[in-house]
Structures are given as C-alpha cells and as structure tokens.
Amino acid sequence: MSSFYQDYVDLRSDTVTRPTSAMREAMYRAEVGDDVYGEDPTVNQLEEYAAHILGKKASLFVPSGTMANQIAVLSHTQRGDEIFIHRDNHIFYYEGGAAAMWSQATFNQLQGPEGLIPADELESRIRPRNIHHPRPRLLALENTHNRAGGAALSRDRLLPLIQVARNHDLRVHLDGARIANAAVALKVSIRELAQDTDSVSLCLSKGLGAPVGSLVAGTREYIEQARVYRKWLGGGMRQAGIIAAAGIYALRHHVERLADDHSRAKKLAEGLQSLGYHVDMPTIPTNMVMVDLEGDADKFIAALKTKNVLAGAMGLKRLRLVTHLDVSDEGLEHTIDAFSQLLSL
Ligand code: TLP
C-alpha cells in the first residue's frame, strides 16, 4: 500500500496508520444509510458496540477526537462555567482554544506529574459558590496522557481526583483518545477506566488503526444533547457506515495487538538509552517515547528525516516517537541505527 512517506519509518504519531486489507474489506462490505436520519445500520452498530465497551448507555460517532472533546465540553457546560484541566491536556493545549470559543467556558489550568492534577491542588482551586466566581462545572481528564509521554493512569490514581470533583458537584469528562492503550498497558478493561466519568471519548484513528473517527459516550440524555451539538459543528455525516465499519473492525481486532506497540516502544526506549540518549518514560508507559536532546529538536528531526525516520517535536528540545500498526521490528532497528549516527548532533 503506497503512502506519502512509504519509504520512511513514520514515528510522528499513531494517527498515520493506514487501514489494513482486512479493514478495507470490512469497509467495502458495509451496509449504509443516512446517519443524520439515524438510518445507517453500521454506524448504529458501532455506536452500540462502543457504548458497551466503554460501559456507557450510549455513544455517538464523530469525525475526530477534537470534535468528540468539543462536543463533550459543550454538552457539560454553559457560558461562563469553569473547567478544571491539566495545562498539558489535549483539549487545552492542542485544540486551538476551540473549547473556550464554542462553550464560552473558562479554563482553570493546573499541573502535576504524568498529566495528573494532585487531588489537594484541585480542592484548593475550587472556589465557593459566590457571585464573583464562575460556576465550577467540569473536570477534564486524559488517559493515556499524550504530553506526559503516553502515561497510562490507573483507576486508583484517578479516583482521589474524581472524588474531589464529585464532592463539589463537578461533571467529569475523560479524553480517552488512547484509552485502549491505557487499558492494555494496565491489564484492565476499558470500561474500568471510564466507569467513574460522566463522558468519555475514544479515537478509532490512532493506535486502533481506523482511517477516521472517534466516539463520545455517556448517558442516553447526554448523547441526545451531544447529537445536537454534532449537527451544529457540521459533524453529522451521511453514509458514514463505510468508515464506521473500519471502526468496528478496529475495536474487534486491534485492541489486544496494542501490546505489540507498547513492547516496541519499550525496546526503542532501551535502544536509545543504551546509545546514551535521555529518554523520559512514565510509570506505566504505552506506545510513546519522549527523548530529551541537548540541542534543537527541529534540527534533529530534519537530520532524522534524511535517514528516512520521521519524528515529532514535543518541545524545543524534546522529541516524541510513537509506535503503531505500521511500525515493524525492522523499522525499529533502522530507527535505532539512525539515532546512533546522529549522536554528535
Ligand atoms: N493528538 C495528535 C495531535 O493533535 C497532537 C497526536 O498526534 O497525538 N485527544 C488526544 C489525547 C490526542 O492525542 C488527540 C490527537 C486528540 C484528542 C484529537 O484527535 P483528532 O486528531 O482525531 O482530532
């Protein structure tokens, strides 16, 4: 299968995966209808299946993880509400400020190791109800945590934080773009990691290898509201069963294999460490490797590209390497070799 960078080991993101032949076959065979009328049987099947996996009553198929998050925030908040979020969360860091624009809520940004806000820090930031303060409304979480190096966060680590949110009557949204990676790494079910939240998103087009699509899940009433916002944002699709079929295939066949991506990421981290690179791995890692360089990340990325390896920057001196379906053992060896040639950079 050809792609733009077909001769490269593409470690920029797990979003770059291409559908396998078997997935394309499932797409070819998909029964379709008009999903805005609720008449696409394959979309309906995906939404039911995903809701089941996520342990929620209903789910909604949307074009992207960003739209899933935007819809989730819109559905939980009203103008002027306050959202508590780790400053490195995707919703805050990588979505162009869209949540503030659409929902007109305000963000209270917190920090803490591995993408986790310490529970006492959250407690101290929630102000009492008072005419001077915004209404504290939503706690936004992320698992795995992208900017924290793909950290998988166990239910035990998230619970104290969620408990504080509950004590103050906050809603809880989990950006679970890579929740399947978290579940596989922690050896727990996906629903266990979603069970304490009001809403959760999941991306089909990252490690799971589908070409397009995400889901947002919650109660039936919540998803009915989310369906309205999806339409507002232009995310109501028509014969979307073609892509939903890829999503069903991904959920059936590509969850357990994420363990291969995780073991390749571990191997890559060890290989780079043994060359003398500084690699920063979270307590429970998944499919990402963060490399802290002495010099400029963009310069290093350009040099890697001349050796047919593609990487992304996560800071001025930080690289992110992501393993996925289209990264083989040979690709990994090639990458370690490329890094060994760039030691002096
Ligand atoms: N993340 C992308 C970039 O936007 C950084 C990547 O390459 O990792 N939540 C999380 C945790 C994500 O990592 C991403 C994508 C999204 C949401 C948004 O998904 P899409 O790209 O489908 O809008």
Side-chain angles (χ1 to χ4, degrees):
M1 258 170 256
S2 67
S3 86
F4 193 66
Y5 284 119
Q6 96 178 306
D7 299 326
Y8 289 74
V9 185
D10 194 345
L11 299 161
R12 288 172 301 169
S13 183
D14 47 10
T15 59
V16 302
T17 55
R18 289 151 294 150
T20 61
S21 304
M23 184 179 273
R24 284 170 192 256
E25 185 68 27
M27 296 170 77
Y28 174 73
R29 298 194 177 285
E31 260 186 71
V32 297
D34 191 323
D35 181 47
V36 173
Y37 296 140
E39 291 171 5
D40 188 303
T42 312
V43 171
N44 292 342
Q45 192 191 339
L46 170 64
E47 289 179 345
E48 242 176 68
Y49 186 39
H52 170 74
I53 289 175
L54 290 161
K56 301 292 181 203
K57 285 279 183 261
S59 85
L60 184 71
F61 186 44
V62 297
S64 67
T66 301
M67 194 183 284
N69 281 334
Q70 295 301 321
I71 288 173
V73 172
L74 265 169
S75 308
H76 283 305
T77 60
Q78 287 172 16
R79 207 158 51 153
D81 282 350
E82 186 174 32
I83 301 169
F84 296 85
I85 194 161
H86 192 290
R87 66 176 188 180
D88 278 332
N89 277 26
H90 198 277
I91 291 179
F92 182 72
Y93 198 96
Y94 284 124
E95 297 184 12
M101 182 169 68
W102 298 129
S103 66
Q104 298 183 34
T106 176
F107 280 97
N108 198 330
Q109 310 153 48
L110 293 101
Q111 49 187 311
E114 301 207 354
L116 260 179
I117 304 164
D120 55 350
E121 181 62 22
L122 177 65
E123 180 76 55
S124 73
R125 288 286 199 105
I126 301 174
R127 290 166 288 176
R129 299 285 163 100
N130 177 312
I131 196 171
H132 298 90
H133 305 150
R135 178 176 70 146
R137 180 61 171 171
L138 181 66
L139 171 66
L141 303 171
E142 186 176 313
N143 199 9
T144 64
H145 200 282
N146 186 350
R147 286 186 58 80
L153 304 169
S154 67
R155 183 170 182 234
D156 282 355
R157 289 178 80 190
L158 289 166
L159 262 181
L161 191 56
I162 293 175
Q163 201 50 57
V164 171
R166 295 300 179 206
N167 292 345
H168 292 274
D169 216 13
L170 301 187
R171 304 269 187 94
V172 179
H173 171 65
L174 171 62
D175 176 348
R178 297 186 180 82
I179 193 172
N181 293 80
V184 166
L186 292 159
K187 299 189 170 57
V188 298
S189 64
I190 291 176
R191 63 168 53 210
E192 173 175 329
L193 297 176
Q195 75 183 66
D196 307 300
T197 67
D198 296 299
S199 61
V200 56
S201 60
L202 171 151
C203 288
L204 300 164
S205 61
K206 303 206 162 48
L208 297 179
V212 193
S214 289
L215 293 132
V216 57
T219 62
R220 276 189 209 291
E221 303 69 51
Y222 180 80
I223 293 304
E224 275 325 298
Q225 183 60 58
R227 194 177 294 281
V228 173
Y229 289 127
R230 183 182 72 173
K231 195 78 185 83
W232 283 20
L233 297 177
M237 298 179 284
R238 303 295 179 172
Q239 286 70 36
I242 294 275
I243 49 176
I248 295 170
Y249 185 91
L251 288 171
R252 288 208 180 121
H253 301 280
H254 289 173
V255 172
E256 274 162 31
R257 65 149 307 284
L258 291 171
D260 298 344
D261 298 342
H262 300 172
S263 64
R264 288 203 177 98
K266 187 163 176 266
K267 248 195 192 157
L268 179 59
E270 287 164 0
L272 299 183
Q273 263 162 343
S274 70
L275 289 173
Y277 284 96
H278 185 270
V279 173
D280 185 18
M281 296 299 267
T283 315
I284 310 282
T286 52
N287 66 334
M288 296 184 185
V289 177
M290 300 288 180
V291 186
D292 290 313
L293 302 166
E294 310 259 301
D296 181 58
D298 285 338
K299 202 171 141 201
F300 199 95
I301 288 167
L304 270 177
K305 192 171 175 185
T306 67
K307 310 215 170 289
N308 288 27
V309 174
L310 301 176
M314 270 270 151
L316 293 177
K317 295 184 172 189
R318 175 168 265 223
L319 297 183
R320 184 185 71 162
L321 308 168
V322 188
T323 56
H324 52 74
L325 201 58
D326 293 347
V327 177
S328 63
D329 288 331
E330 297 75 58
L332 218 64
E333 274 167 40
H334 178 84
T335 303
I336 295 171
D337 187 49
F339 270 84
S340 76
Q341 294 175 45
L342 296 176
L343 268 173
S344 55
L345 213 68

